[in-house]
Amino acid sequence: QEYTAIKLKVLEWAEEGRKEIAGKLPEGAEVFLVAATLRPETMYGQTCCFVGPRISYGVYQVSPTEFYVCTERAARNMAFQGVFPERGVFPSVGTVQGQSLIGTLVHAPLSVHKGGVHVLPMETVLATKGTGVVTSVPSDSPDDYATVKDLAKKADYYKIKKEWAELEIIPIIKTPSYGELTAEFLVKKMKINSPKDTKPLAEAKELAYKEGFYQGTMLIGDFKGDKVEKAKPKVREILLSKKEAFVYSEPEGHVLSRSG
Ligand code: ZZB
């Protein structure tokens, strides 16, 4: 699986996170949460960034001043893909619990929400896939749509500010079957009530991927009016050339477990 790894720069730490990394970073350090995505063309619509509250993340040094937050598993993979200066080596300066990152303000590349987006909890984030960090695009990802709605409804329970989950959901891609907000359309049509409805959500994700890629037209950004199929590699190239993203690959999970 080849992902685009999006770098979301920390603008302001949540209190707990700040404590956990206190004294571990040099003066002037830039820290990025690294999110693995298959949909770089949707980055205009990022409204928040998800972590698994019970996942432990490492803080890895990629240059004298740059640090990446992701799972150890992802850092190890990156170390064999030229992300770190020395092959196979992924120096860690500490760890931080997902729960402690919640509330952190990060800059989401290309997002219309220029003031930054917040880190929020998502119970269904897999530690065994991607980087363990997921950037949220509720216009086009049914999982993200279901999660932000649930977070806003139960903000007190999740100990978050409701408005963190309520950034405006802007149309990014138009398709003939699902209109301008694919995720909302499918979640409503399939009567999905919660992020825990994993089976219909998986089905909705497949439908959204197919329709978005083969039938979608961009409604925003540098390739507005272009077919998604054409725009996708171009948006990716912009992110890569601005160093706001890098390529991250990993073997398919089932291949790993078969050989293990
Ligand atoms: C932004 C985005 C926008 C995504 C969209 C999807 C969609 P897949 O297909 O199963 O390989 N993701 C990445 N890592 C994880 C993880 N560790 N746990 C849970 N979800 C994760 O899934 C790849 C997609 O799943 C990634 O692409 C990421 O969400 C999420 F409009 O990034 B995506 C129809 C989907 N639309």
Side-chain angles (χ1 to χ4, degrees):
Q1 191 76 273
E2 187 174 289
Y3 292 101
T4 305
I6 306 289
K7 294 162 64 179
L8 296 105
K9 187 179 169 181
V10 173
L11 302 175
E12 213 178 292
W13 290 98
E15 192 54 37
E16 284 306 309
R18 189 199 310 278
K19 282 186 206 154
E20 286 181 34
I21 55 130
K24 293 176 178 164
L25 297 170
E27 191 78 31
E30 292 189 306
V31 184
F32 300 86
L33 269 64
V34 178
T37 183
L38 295 177
R39 303 284 309 269
E41 77 281 11
T42 67
M43 294 298 102
Y44 303 101
Q46 294 173 86
T47 67
C48 59
C49 172
F50 293 128
V51 296
R54 282 180 295 275
I55 296 175
S56 175
Y57 295 89
V59 183
Y60 300 95
Q61 182 159 23
V62 294
S63 83
T65 55
E66 276 197 300
F67 296 79
Y68 289 172
V69 176
C70 62
T71 57
E72 182 182 344
R73 187 189 140 278
R76 180 176 295 110
N77 285 333
M78 287 173 195
F80 293 96
Q81 297 172 31
V83 172
F84 291 91
E86 197 182 335
R87 185 174 168 82
V89 182
F90 46 108
S92 161
V93 295
T95 60
V96 56
Q97 200 60 27
Q99 181 63 45
S100 309
L101 289 168
I102 290 163
T104 297
L105 184 69
V106 294
H107 170 258
L110 295 183
S111 174
V112 295
H113 298 291
K114 300 281 179 220
V117 303
H118 284 92
V119 177
L120 294 173
M122 187 192 224
E123 296 291 341
T124 51
V125 171
L126 299 167
T128 51
K129 182 168 123 178
T131 56
V133 177
V134 179
T135 194
S136 172
V137 184
S139 54
D140 289 274
S141 163
D143 288 288
D144 298 354
Y145 183 83
T147 302
V148 294
K149 290 295 158 189
D150 186 62
L151 288 169
K153 204 159 60 183
K154 302 181 196 155
D156 290 342
Y157 170 80
Y158 289 112
K159 300 193 177 73
I160 58 162
K161 290 205 179 120
K162 188 162 186 261
E163 60 263 30
W164 295 348
E166 286 186 326
L167 262 59
E168 194 183 349
I169 301 174
I170 284 158
I172 305 298
I173 289 165
K174 182 173 75 182
T175 74
S177 308
Y178 309 140
E180 300 196 340
L181 292 170
T182 290
E184 177 180 64
F185 180 94
L186 286 169
V187 164
K188 287 187 173 159
K189 185 175 130 176
M190 297 172 76
K191 299 192 166 54
I192 294 167
N193 293 312
S194 136
K196 289 179 187 142
D197 293 342
T198 48
K199 229 181 129 212
L201 276 170
E203 209 178 304
K205 176 157 102 173
E206 276 317 302
L207 293 171
Y209 268 135
K210 283 216 185 82
E211 182 77 3
F213 185 70
Y214 293 108
Q215 310 291 344
T217 304
M218 299 299 297
L219 296 172
I220 191 169
D222 302 287
F223 308 104
K224 185 173 167 174
D226 287 359
K227 299 304 295 283
V228 167
E229 232 177 313
K230 261 185 68 192
K232 184 185 185 113
K234 294 183 183 168
V235 177
R236 187 184 203 221
E237 203 41 57
I238 287 179
L239 288 160
L240 295 176
S241 67
K242 288 201 288 186
K243 307 276 179 227
E244 293 183 320
F246 58 92
V247 176
Y248 170 67
S249 311
E250 64 184 14
E252 294 277 358
H254 64 272
V255 176
L256 266 182
S257 55
R258 242 191 278 152
S259 65

